[in-house]
Amino acid sequence: MSHDLSLAQSHAFQLSRDLMVPVTLFSVGGEYGVLPSDEIDADDDLEIVHEFFPWPAH
């Protein structure tokens, strides 16, 4: 978890590229975290900030 949004965004983008899977940047209690998108459940108490994709948008 991180308190720095730009650091969390950088790590999320890099993790997406390394794993070649979509990852989600989320916020909980003023901290930011990153998980592979398929590990997040609809009933998780997370504020989704952004989802990163490893491939370019067309």
Side-chain angles (χ1 to χ4, degrees), residues 15-31:
L15 183 63
S16 176
R17 301 288 293 194
D18 288 346
L19 298 178
M20 292 305 291
V21 297
V23 299
T24 299
L25 173 63
F26 61 90
S27 174
V28 174
E31 294 185 305

Side-chain angles (χ1 to χ4, degrees), residues 34-56:
V34 176
L35 280 173
S37 297
D38 64 354
E39 293 186 22
I40 295 178
D41 295 325
D43 57 341
D44 289 341
D45 189 23
L46 305 174
E47 179 185 334
I48 304 301
V49 176
H50 189 75
E51 188 171 21
F52 291 87
F53 297 92
W55 48 86

